[in-house]
Amino acid sequence: MSQVYVVAVTTLKDLQREINKLLGDKIILKAYGTNEEIVSGDLEKAEIVITEPRYLLSSKLFDKCPNLKWFHSPWAGVECILKYDWTKNRPIITRTVGSYPQQMSEWAIGNMIASNRNFFAMKKYQLDHKWGKQDFRNFCSLYGKSIAILGCGSIGKELARKAKVFDMTVWAITKSSHEKCNFIDHHRHTNDLDEVLSNCDFICNVMPQTEETRGLLSGKRLSVCKKQPLFLNMGRGSIISDESLCEALDEKWIQGAVLDVFNEEPLPPSNKLYDYPNVFVTHHTAGVTFANEVADDFAHKFEQYTSKKAMDDVVQVERGY
């Protein structure tokens, strides 16, 4: 088999080395940073392009790739991919999911424990050189608590699995109420969102940004919450407007929020969410992409591609994910 021409334009510094370790004899890989000028001849020869979705939008890269058959994104998010005009050319589109399910489910479980066990408040006592044993005896276990997982792809399912380890009751909003997962006690559709929100101690959003999910929790939606849940967002900030989230905090419909994603990133210094003592900001780090994981994933998909097998993690543009 002749070598396949691949162009990678990415901020992942070690990606070229990691891919060449695995596929060096099967591909010709030309790698560039996102600030480097790309040799036009490389783009004309490229059968496969690996690049980050935001760069894809800003550079109009694919207009210069007449032989493109497969585009691979090293990131899990797809909203920038969906904004691209695919009417001229529709290659196979895939993405790396990698260890995001493990990383992000750990983020959620860790923050739920930290909140229930008052770890955030304990840190303030420590900085004030204050001993507060009696103040922190009133805490809750995750045992018997209920979690609403909004979005049940690979990340949501892994969070459900971990939640069951702590004997939690798991509610999940899925694309289809017929979609089943052994770790979910109650499957529901978005039409049943109020029922789910009213029954849970934690709400964790893992939904991607689509027209259907934008503003899903905005307005007074969270006013139906009966248990004053903790809201965790590691999906996309667009699930709820900043104004609606602030109202939910002010009205105490929710006890607090742990936020990894926002409507505007970086979160501007003037944003009110910084000022709430019961809001914890984690700077879009719930899941991080590593070069070796992208390389392993790309090599696996490359074997599927060259063998003409069905490929994993294909982005369905029409479906929005």
Side-chain angles (χ1 to χ4, degrees), residues 265-285:
E265 294 185 14
L267 188 65
S270 59
N271 194 291
K272 287 176 59 178
L273 290 169
Y274 281 121
D275 299 322
Y276 284 89
N278 54 342
V279 169
F280 187 53
V281 173
T282 64
H283 315 278
H284 208 143
T285 58

Side-chain angles (χ1 to χ4, degrees), residues 105-114 142 159 162-163 166 168:
S105 59
E106 289 172 7
W107 177 92
I109 293 291
N111 280 298
M112 288 192 292
I113 292 173
L142 294 187
L159 175 54
K162 284 185 170 68
F166 290 90
M168 300 181 74

